[in-house]
Structures are given as structure tokens and as C-alpha cells.
Amino acid sequence: MTEGQEAAAQAVETAVEAAGNWARAGRHAGVAGAAIGVVAAGAAAGVAIERLTVGRGMRRRARLALDAAGPYGTLRGTPGAAIAEDGTELYYEVDEPGVETGRPEKDGHPGKSRNGKGGKADRSAKPVRGKEARAAQEAQDGLRKRLSAALGRRATAPTVVFSHGYCLSQDSWHFQRSALRGAVRTVHWDQRSHGRSSRGHGQIDGTEPVTIDLLGRDLKAVLDAAVPEGPIVLVGHSMGGMTVMALADQFPEYVAERVVGVALIGTSAGRLSEVGFGLPSMGVKAFHWLAPGVLKALGWQREIVERGRRATADLFAGLIKRYSFGTPEKVDPGIARFGERLIEATPIDVVAEFFPAFAVHDKTEALVAYDAVPSLVLAGENDLITPADHSRTIAEVLPDAELVCVPGAGHLVMLERPELVNEHLVSLVERAGAAARSSRHARA
């Protein structure tokens, strides 16, 4: 048998084993098990075909090289913890203006996180070199200088608080954090059961399911701990944007008193049960019908599923690219790998715990709480998770909002088009800072 034939045989054997792992997990899902079987078969075929042309060792070496080479997700700040209503510890970090807090981690592995996973801050991208790197750095420096000049050292300068999305962590804001670093006070936190935050106590003991309202109360706990006074600009991506809406729904007086600006990026105010995910109409109906049960069953079989995820890593890398980026073929491999690592670090049982909350999410009426402050609504036109039309709907409720729909960009628009997102975010903070000063003068 030739070397190529041996590689092919090994590819098929590994892929079939992976399919078996998924199928065994799926048997506990009843009707949904059939769907898992189909996915498993597709995974087996896809992995086998791909491995016929690219050696397993070569792909593994490529992933390790990307993981070891880049600085993405390594920015660290002053750590802190807020305690949620059910006792869950919510991890956050603060970057103070004019202070270089938390140097980038040298090894990209910050240690064990509180939810039992390896730390999410990694070095999973190859740094850009040459003219492109210099241009990006100069643009970033320009944004910092511009923001520092606009805000100065006034007591009214806002704190910018970033809320990340589903299956991500605070490190997903790497480019925005880098752009604002030193120019304005920022807070970056990990949602419960994500990143370095603890697993949700109410979910571990089964006393409370995850809801968007619960996440809004989590955000309030973080704000009380990390920003006890002064104006606030809230920035939320995807589930983080929904969290920001839930805050307004439950604490409208707080929002009216403290929040001076809001950015809602790649998010939705509701109707997520109608999203098609780029599937044909029959596939959409089947997905929304089967997905909750499938994920719940997979969550019960965490060890088997995680083995399957590792064995089908190549398949999932392709899926992540498709659903994260609008033009994946143009995305730097390091950034794509960074997004992949953020997502794959979320255990399947956490994925299952959070998923049902999106189908019942509806915060359209709560948006009016942000109508009186400067706002930015930004989305990728090719977003398959929270389509751009959902952002247009938000902008209809917030008629004075700056609406930006980015051609060719997908769900992780802040990673795919960081310069554009940074530019609009700095503009928002400038406007919010001016609004905060005006409000202070009016009260005086």
C-alpha cells in the first residue's frame, strides 16, 4: 500500500469513528438522533475527502503554527469579579486611560479559567508584517490621539463596557480593545459560563435556565462592580447586544441616568426563530424544530461529543468560517483560527444551555430606552446568524442611530473589518462624551 493509500485509509477510518461518536450521542435525542446521524455521515465524508489531499499532520502543524505565532486575544487588564444574583462569579478586566495595564501574555495560555476550560486569551494568529502592519498601527494611533483629544481628562469621560456574543469571550473584542487602549477607560467582561467567568450556578444545579433577562441582570452586576459612577457607553455584539437590551428592559431608570451611548453590533431585537442560516426553506424548519432537542441530548453526552468535535476539527473549521465571516476566503488565516479557537473552547453543554433563550428573545420595545443617547447599529450584510435586516429593524426603532451595514462582512464583523468598526466606535464615543458634558452642564 502506498503512502497516499495509507493516508486515505486512515482518513476514512478516523472520519467513520468520528461519525460513530456523534451517532452514539444522537441516539439519546429520539427523532433528533436521525439528524445527528446525517450530520455525522456528512462529517465523515467531508473529513475523508479533505484528508485525501492534505495530510493530517500537515493540517495539525498549520494549526499549531497559527496558535503559536500571533498576538490576538492576549491583551490583559486589571482583573476583577462581580457576583451575579445566583452567586456566579463574573470575570471582568479594566483598562484605565493613560495606563498600560496587563501586557500581552507571552505564551498565549493564561491558565485554567473558572469554568473549567483553558484560558481563552490566545496567540492564535500570525501578525501582519510590512506596510500593511504599519498602516494599521498608524490608523490605530490616530484613533487614540483623536479620542484622547476629544475626551481629555475630564471627569465626564465615559467608561466603555464591552459585552461579547454567544460562544465567544471578551477576547473577541481584541481589535477594538487595542484601538481604545490608553485613550478611554474600558471594561471587558465574560458572560456566565464563557471565558474566565464561572459556570452559571443556576444552570449547574438546574434551578434556573439561561434567559436573556438573566444576562441583563448579570451585566448590571458587572456595571455596579466595575463602573460604580460616571457615564457609560455600552457596546454589545450578538448575544451581548441582546444583553444590553435586557438591561434597558429591566433597569430603565438606571439606563436613563448613566448610559450616554450604545453600540449594537451584529445583533437582533427578536424574531430569531425565523432566521434561515443560509439553509433551504425545508432545512430551516427542520433546524428550528430539531436543534433544541439535539443540543440538549449532546449536552448530556459531553465527553463523547467533545471527542467528536476534536476528530472532526477540519469540518468545524469550515463551518465556523462560513458562519463567522462574510467572505471567508479573504480572511487572514490567523484571524480565522482565532475565531475558531474562541468558539471551539465553549463546551457543548454550555452551547445547549444558552441556545433556547434566543428563540424567545424579544426586546424591541426595550430599545426606546436608548433613543435619547447617541447610538450605533452596525452589521455585516452577509451575516447568516443575525441578518442585517435585524439591524435595520433596530434602527427603525432608534431613528437617530447611525446605521452601518458593511458589504461582504459576516457575523464576526469586528474581527473581519476591525478598522471600519473601530472608526465608527470611536466616533460614537466622541459623540457620547460630548453628550455627557452637555448633560452635566444642564444639570449644573
Side-chain angles (χ1 to χ4, degrees):
M1 182 179 290
T2 67
E3 183 179 350
Q5 290 173 326
E6 290 179 357
Q10 184 182 19
V12 173
E13 181 181 351
T14 304
V16 171
E17 180 184 356
N21 286 336
W22 285 99
R24 282 193 293 276
R27 292 192 192 106
H28 297 271
V31 175
I36 297 177
V38 172
V39 172
V47 171
I49 292 171
E50 199 269 346
R51 288 181 178 176
L52 285 172
T53 57
V54 182
R56 183 179 185 183
M58 183 179 295
R59 289 192 313 278
R60 183 173 181 273
R61 286 194 296 272
R63 284 196 293 267
L64 290 174
L66 289 173
D67 292 345
Y72 302 160
T74 60
L75 298 177
R76 300 270 63 89
T78 302
I83 305 301
E85 61 187 27
D86 64 352
T88 301
E89 188 173 319
L90 304 170
Y91 179 85
Y92 65 83
E93 293 178 359
V94 179
D95 290 350
E96 297 290 351
V99 178
E100 186 181 354
T101 57
R103 295 178 180 274
E105 291 164 340
K106 295 180 179 180
D107 60 2
H109 298 284
K112 195 85 167 177
S113 64
R114 289 178 174 81
N115 61 16
K117 305 184 293 295
K120 292 272 193 70
D122 55 58
R123 298 174 61 85
S124 44
K126 185 177 181 179
V128 182
R129 305 292 185 187
K131 293 181 179 179
E132 187 178 349
R134 287 196 296 272
Q137 186 61 53
E138 288 172 0
Q140 224 172 67
D141 291 343
L143 288 176
R144 288 196 198 97
K145 291 178 181 177
R146 177 176 137 193
L147 195 54
S148 295
L151 299 178
R153 296 184 177 277
R154 299 181 179 89
T156 53
T159 295
V160 185
V161 180
F162 290 84
S163 299
H164 69 78
Y166 182 46
C167 298
L168 298 172
S169 77
Q170 62 173 271
D171 293 332
S172 63
W173 296 109
H174 174 84
F175 291 107
Q176 292 66 50
R177 184 173 191 169
S178 180
L180 299 184
R181 201 169 176 83
V184 64
R185 188 174 191 264
T186 59
V187 175
H188 308 261
W189 70 292
D190 290 325
Q191 302 256 19
R192 64 172 55 225
S193 302
H194 290 69
R196 295 170 180 77
S197 287
S198 299
R199 283 297 304 273
H201 289 191
Q203 292 72 64
I204 293 174
D205 60 25
T207 58
E208 184 175 12
V210 173
T211 64
I212 301 300
D213 282 339
L214 175 61
L215 303 184
R217 297 193 293 275
D218 285 351
L219 174 55
K220 179 61 163 56
V222 171
L223 294 174
D224 288 344
V227 200
E229 58 184 9
I232 299 168
V233 174
L234 297 172
V235 183
H237 167 251
S238 192
M239 183 178 75
M242 302 172 204
T243 301
V244 168
M245 298 176 206
L247 176 78
D249 191 30
Q250 299 171 93
F251 305 98
E253 295 84 4
Y254 177 89
V255 167
E257 180 182 352
R258 298 286 305 281
V259 177
V260 296
V262 63
L264 301 170
I265 299 175
T267 190
S268 172
R271 301 188 0 261
L272 287 170
S273 61
E274 302 172 13
V275 173
F277 302 108
L279 300 172
S281 58
M282 290 300 294
V284 173
K285 292 179 181 178
F287 176 84
H288 286 295
W289 178 48
L290 294 173
V294 169
L295 287 173
K296 188 174 182 179
L298 294 179
W300 292 336
Q301 303 292 317
R302 174 178 172 177
E303 291 186 4
I304 294 176
V305 171
E306 294 302 338
R307 286 200 298 271
R309 287 173 77 176
R310 289 191 294 272
T312 57
D314 300 313
L315 171 70
F316 279 96
L319 288 174
I320 289 171
K321 285 181 182 178
R322 169 170 166 72
Y323 284 99
S324 297
F325 305 109
T327 50
E329 69 279 3
K330 296 182 179 180
V331 175
D332 181 273
I335 293 177
R337 176 59 182 156
F338 177 48
E340 179 186 340
R341 287 196 62 177
L342 287 171
I343 293 168
E344 71 184 10
T346 308
I348 189 63
D349 48 344
V350 173
V351 176
E353 286 171 1
F354 278 68
F355 186 80
F358 300 116
V360 296
H361 164 63
D362 183 1
K363 296 298 179 189
T364 304
E365 294 183 0
L367 287 169
V368 296
Y370 296 117
D371 190 31
V373 301
S375 53
L376 167 66
V377 180
L378 189 147
E381 282 284 9
N382 293 3
D383 192 334
L384 297 176
I385 306 297
T386 51
D389 281 346
H390 286 235
S391 288
R392 293 187 181 97
T393 298
I394 293 172
E396 290 175 1
V397 182
L398 301 174
D400 294 329
E402 179 187 13
L403 174 63
V404 181
C405 294
V406 185
H411 191 59
L412 298 187
V413 61
M414 69 283 192
L415 294 179
E416 189 171 11
R417 297 291 300 277
E419 295 87 358
L420 184 146
V421 173
N422 292 349
E423 176 69 31
H424 287 285
L425 190 58
V426 166
S427 177
L428 171 69
V429 177
E430 288 176 333
R431 289 183 283 129
R437 292 193 296 273
S438 298
S439 175
R440 186 183 184 192
H441 293 326
R443 287 196 297 270

